[in-house]
Amino acid sequence: MKLVALFTAAGINIAVCAVLLSLYSILRKQPGNVNVYFGRRLASKRSRRTNLCLERFVPSPSWILKAWHTTEDELLSVGGLDAVVFVRIVVFSLRVFSVAAIVCTFLVLPVNYYGQDRKHVDISFEPLEVFSIENVKEGSRWLWTHCLALYIITIAACTLSYFEFKAITNLRLVHIIGSPPNPSHFAILVRGIPWAPEVSYHETVRNFFTNYHESTYLSHQMIYKAGTVQKLKECAAAFVFFKTRFAALVASRILQTSNPMMWVTDQAPEPHDICWSNLCIPYRQLWIRKIAILVASIVFMIVFLLPVTFVQGLTQLDHLQESLPFLKGILKKEYMSQIVTGYLPSVILILFLYTVPPTMMLFAAIEGSISRSGRKKSACYKVLFFLIWNVFFVNVFTGSVISQLSVFNRITNLPAQLAKEVPAQATFFITYVLSSGWASLATELIQIFPLIWISFQRYILRCKDDSLTGPQSFPYHTEIPRILLFVFLGFTCSILAPLITPFLLVYFFLGYLVYKNQLVNVYVTKYDSGGGFWPIAHSTTVFALIFTQIVALGVFGMKRATVASGFTIPLLILTILFHEYCRQRFLPIFKNNSAQILIDLDRRDERAGKMEEIYDQLHTAYCQFTPSTTPESDLSPSTHGQDLEESNRGSEILEEGKPQPKR
């Protein structure tokens, strides 16, 4: 692939982005599209009359300035801590690759370009391999520049990642301390409740916790199966409320009985974050579901080898002409060959990749996550692994499906294979950043699918009310894996093919503006994980650095650069030690709440006399049904006051007359 083909792909993507951005500036001013482009603002104002509201958003370029000047506090107030962390991931990537672009452009790129004793033609007609480490001859004394660049990039990434981890950890702690009393801090989810023929689940839960947690147990609320009829049959699950946050924390972490499959406790999700349909899944089924989803994910990844192999066939023009002789006449035209090899493969791959996030979200839901944020986080992991595997590894090991599967038979030669194949495929990754990165941001901004859906409702179905098109929550499971994939590609190709870094810089800068605009105007925050997505970004960054160092070690070995190889090994060890330190220092705060903070919050609320008010809010916060359809046993008896016991005796009597659930 020649540099002019890369310019062709870049020109096409710039044109597409310019058209979509111009179209967005027009569509966002139309009153009929206010539900698409200002859904969050409408939801917060609870008004559908938006003609006056739109006056603030003209002229069209003002959205860029508004996004640029949106502060972190404003973003926190409208999008929650997850929105702040997401934007911080983008800013972190922008900072890291600013350093990488400067170092690689001025230090590595000239060494690559003049790495061979050859006569250079017009630079626009140079093959892209000339700008990669492939062009550096074996035994070159200039390979130390690549090792130096690797050190600078690694140190910059680790330093910035450490301070981001520290800052986001502090934000999470401030979020816990400064927020209003959170009902989930007083509640635990109990599953695997044993069934007894003589008593209901309701009685069983009350007897167990009044017996073993007498001093701290407050009350409980049974969980019912979903459905009009099924909601009168109880599940073997309940929310149990405690008098203090610390008591709930202890109860959620300890083993309740000698049988780990019974009386299983977890910290309760926030009320708006609960997946009610998954709470009634028998606890004994969960491990079976996880194994089944793992197998299904592997099968899906194997099936996806077919489109990836087809895409790679398009990048190999000689093989394509041999397989399809009738294309020889078409591909002789220079502009057609540039489009086929430089633009079409990545576009086709992107179209196939649109099926991945909804599929992985379905898999995450079937796994049985008890919270929507947990389900989205699980889908985020799955999409990220899928993208890294299929976009990077499968594309690196090109060829037929059979030859790609045979890679596993030569696992011992993997470093050498990576050292040989990654530089050769770097040009495809550059075009992928152009087509998947730049164009995806323009597509996200214009909201194509919601726009098509609301137009279908209005002009085909003739619906005058757009209430069916409600504001959506931000698709973290789609956007975070996409950003982290580009981070992975950027680190891997930084010293091998430095031309990728300027395109990544443009992507992250444009993404900073687009995502802030969308979080402020479009998406509604329905629940918050408290910044739980940052550990995913940190782990992916460290994995990308370690993988880059391993590939560089293999490349230095092939190029017979002994000094560069020797200096890369300690860098690899130090990066692993850095990750382990961060994992020990910061990660536990994202998994558990500290006893110190919870006890201080309990004492603060006790001194302020807020405990009784908090107790009264627990049942309404975790109400599964509307008050008119809530079964009587939802108002479970409590041990903390005689008055509440008297008020609940009627529900106990009704409970005794209920039909008992079957095994």
Side-chain angles (χ1 to χ4, degrees):
M1 183 180 183
K2 296 181 180 180
L3 188 62
V4 67
L6 179 63
F7 289 157
T8 301
I12 293 174
N13 281 279
I14 291 173
V16 170
C17 290
V19 170
L20 291 179
L21 292 178
S22 301
L23 188 60
Y24 167 73
S25 67
I26 297 173
L27 292 175
R28 70 193 300 268
K29 295 186 293 184
Q30 309 306 315
N33 297 330
V34 68
N35 290 329
V36 177
Y37 298 114
F38 302 100
R40 193 209 62 79
R41 292 183 177 271
L42 286 181
S44 62
K45 291 180 178 296
R46 300 184 181 274
S47 173
R48 303 184 69 83
R49 301 295 182 185
T50 56
N51 292 334
L52 294 178
C53 187
L54 285 176
E55 293 179 2
R56 311 181 282 182
F57 300 96
V58 293
S60 301
S62 63
W63 72 270
I64 298 177
L65 296 177
K66 288 181 180 294
W68 177 263
H69 291 295
T70 300
T71 64
E72 189 172 275
D73 291 336
E74 293 173 343
L75 195 61
L76 182 64
S77 63
V78 300
L81 188 55
D82 284 342
V84 172
V85 169
F86 177 79
V87 174
R88 276 182 168 266
I89 293 174
V90 178
V91 173
F92 163 77
S93 305
L94 183 61
R95 290 171 177 169
V96 171
F97 285 100
S98 296
V99 176
I102 294 173
V103 172
C104 294
T105 301
F106 294 102
L107 185 63
V108 177
L109 192 60
V111 175
N112 290 347
Y113 187 71
Y114 295 105
Q116 297 277 1
D117 296 331
R118 56 181 295 177
K119 183 179 180 180
H120 292 282
V121 297
D122 186 357
I123 191 171
S124 60
F125 293 97
E126 292 275 19
L128 293 185
E129 289 77 11
V130 172
F131 302 94
S132 71
I133 201 171
E134 279 188 295
N135 196 50
V136 180
K137 61 184 179 181
E138 293 185 5
S140 173
R141 59 189 179 90
W142 290 102
L143 284 170
W144 64 267
T145 58
H146 298 78
C147 183
L148 177 61
L150 187 61
Y151 262 86
I152 295 174
I153 293 171
T154 301
I155 292 173
C158 290
T159 303
L160 291 172
S161 180
Y162 172 80
F163 285 110
E164 283 295 328
F165 220 149
K166 185 177 181 180
I168 292 173
T169 300
N170 292 333
L171 285 176
R172 177 177 172 86
L173 295 177
V174 171
H175 174 74
I176 296 173
I177 296 172
S179 299
N182 191 339
S184 66
H185 292 167
F186 293 86
I188 67 171
L189 174 65
V190 182
R191 291 179 290 179
I193 302 172
W195 180 81
E198 65 277 4
V199 294
S200 65
Y201 285 127
H202 170 77
E203 293 286 343
T204 301
V205 173
R206 184 183 63 176
N207 294 338
F208 181 86
F209 282 94
T210 52
N211 186 23
Y212 297 105
H213 299 268
E214 182 179 3
S215 61
T216 57
Y217 167 68
L218 181 68
S219 60
H220 72 275
Q221 184 163 294
M222 296 305 301
I223 297 170
Y224 294 84
K225 293 181 179 179
T228 305
V229 178
Q230 289 180 332
K231 68 185 178 186
L232 299 177
K233 295 173 186 172
E234 295 170 336
C235 296
F239 287 111
V240 179
F241 308 117
F242 290 83
K243 297 179 181 178
T244 64
R245 298 173 176 88
F246 178 70
L249 176 66
V250 172
S252 67
R253 293 291 172 252
I254 62 175
L255 195 64
Q256 299 294 329
T257 66
S258 58
N259 185 352
M261 300 295 289
M262 297 174 59
W263 296 104
V264 181
T265 56
D266 294 289
Q267 192 76 36
E270 293 185 5
H272 297 291
D273 194 19
I274 300 173
C275 279
W276 290 102
S277 59
N278 285 346
L279 298 184
C280 288
I281 297 174
Y283 184 77
R284 297 174 184 269
Q285 287 186 10
L286 293 180
W287 68 275
I288 301 176
R289 286 171 173 256
K290 291 181 180 179
I291 293 176
I293 291 302
L294 177 61
V295 174
S297 301
I298 293 174
V299 171
F300 185 53
M301 293 173 68
I302 293 175
V303 171
F304 212 83
L305 289 174
L306 297 175
V308 175
T309 305
F310 172 73
V311 165
Q312 275 302 311
L314 294 178
T315 64
Q316 302 173 12
L317 198 58
D318 296 336
H319 295 164
L320 186 64
Q321 291 177 348
E322 293 177 2
S323 303
L324 303 173
F326 63 90
L327 293 178
K328 289 184 178 180
I330 300 176
L331 295 178
K332 285 182 179 179
K333 300 178 180 179
E334 187 173 356
Y335 70 92
M336 286 299 301
S337 64
Q338 293 171 2
I339 292 176
V340 170
T341 60
Y343 185 72
L344 193 59
S346 55
V347 171
I348 295 176
L349 182 59
I350 291 167
L351 294 178
F352 280 105
L353 288 175
Y354 272 117
T355 63
V356 176
T359 303
M360 295 306 177
M361 180 61 84
L362 176 63
F363 287 170
I366 296 175
E367 274 185 335
S369 176
I370 62 175
S371 65
R372 292 191 284 178
S373 61
R375 179 179 62 187
K376 189 162 285 190
K377 194 182 299 182
S378 175
C380 183
Y381 274 112
K382 290 178 174 59
V383 175
L384 178 61
F385 294 153
F386 188 93
L387 290 180
I388 291 178
W389 167 252
N390 280 284
V391 175
F392 182 81
F393 286 100
V394 176
N395 277 289
V396 165
F397 301 110
T398 55
S400 64
V401 176
I402 297 177
S403 66
Q404 289 171 356
L405 293 179
S406 67
V407 168
F408 297 101
N409 297 327
R410 307 190 306 273
I411 197 69
T412 55
N413 298 328
L414 188 59
Q417 294 177 36
L418 291 173
K420 180 181 178 181
E421 298 294 341
V422 170
Q425 288 298 323
T427 56
F428 171 78
F429 299 140
I430 295 175
T431 58
Y432 182 81
V433 170
L434 287 172
S435 53
S436 177
W438 295 8
S440 67
L441 290 175
T443 304
E444 164 63 30
L445 189 66
I446 204 171
Q447 293 285 290
I448 288 181
F449 295 111
L451 190 65
I452 293 175
W453 172 244
I454 199 172
S455 301
F456 178 78
Q457 279 187 307
R458 186 176 298 137
Y459 300 112
I460 305 300
L461 300 182
R462 300 293 181 180
C463 295
K464 296 182 179 179
D465 186 11
D466 297 331
S467 59
L468 296 178
T469 311
Q472 304 294 319
S473 60
F474 190 80
Y476 292 106
H477 66 292
T478 301
E479 302 307 317
I480 289 180
R482 179 182 286 121
I483 291 175
L484 295 181
L485 172 65
F486 291 142
V487 170
F488 180 84
L489 295 177
F491 281 130
T492 306
C493 300
S494 57
I495 66 169
L496 305 181
L499 282 179
I500 197 174
T501 53
F503 298 108
L504 284 173
L505 271 183
V506 174
Y507 167 76
F508 288 125
F509 179 76
L510 184 60
Y512 174 75
L513 298 175
V514 169
Y515 288 128
K516 286 181 72 174
N517 177 78
Q518 300 300 86
L519 288 167
V520 170
N521 294 319
V522 179
Y523 295 106
V524 172
T525 301
K526 300 179 181 179
Y527 47 87
D528 198 287
S529 69
F533 291 102
W534 172 254
I536 302 176
H538 172 81
S539 300
T540 306
T541 299
V542 175
F543 170 74
L545 288 173
I546 293 174
F547 183 79
T548 301
Q549 294 159 9
I550 293 174
V551 173
L553 194 61
V555 172
F556 293 152
M558 293 178 59
K559 297 290 184 178
R560 294 184 296 176
T562 308
V563 176
S565 299
F567 276 97
T568 305
I569 294 175
L571 182 63
L572 181 62
I573 297 174
L574 290 174
T575 306
I576 295 174
L577 292 177
F578 165 77
H579 175 62
E580 184 62 22
Y581 171 78
C582 290
R583 197 177 69 86
Q584 298 291 338
R585 171 62 179 86
F586 300 115
L587 191 59
I589 300 176
F590 288 82
K591 292 184 176 180
N592 300 299
N593 294 323
S594 68
Q596 178 186 16
I597 291 178
L598 296 184
I599 292 174
D600 289 341
L601 291 176
D602 287 333
R603 290 173 178 172
R604 184 187 68 182
D605 290 338
E606 286 174 355
R607 288 193 298 265
K610 293 182 179 180
M611 281 301 193
E612 291 299 326
E613 180 183 352
I614 295 174
Y615 296 158
D616 294 338
Q617 294 174 354
L618 291 177
H619 280 288
T620 56
Y622 284 93
C623 183
Q624 184 176 1
F625 306 105
T626 58
S628 60
T629 60
T630 303
E632 289 87 345
S633 63
D634 273 1
L635 300 176
S636 329
S638 171
T639 60
H640 80 286
Q642 184 67 26
D643 294 338
L644 192 55
E645 284 187 340
E646 293 293 334
S647 67
N648 283 312
R649 282 180 182 171
S651 64
E652 295 179 34
I653 296 173
L654 290 174
E655 190 69 39
E656 293 176 358
K658 283 188 178 181
Q660 299 301 321
K662 297 181 180 179
R663 287 182 184 267

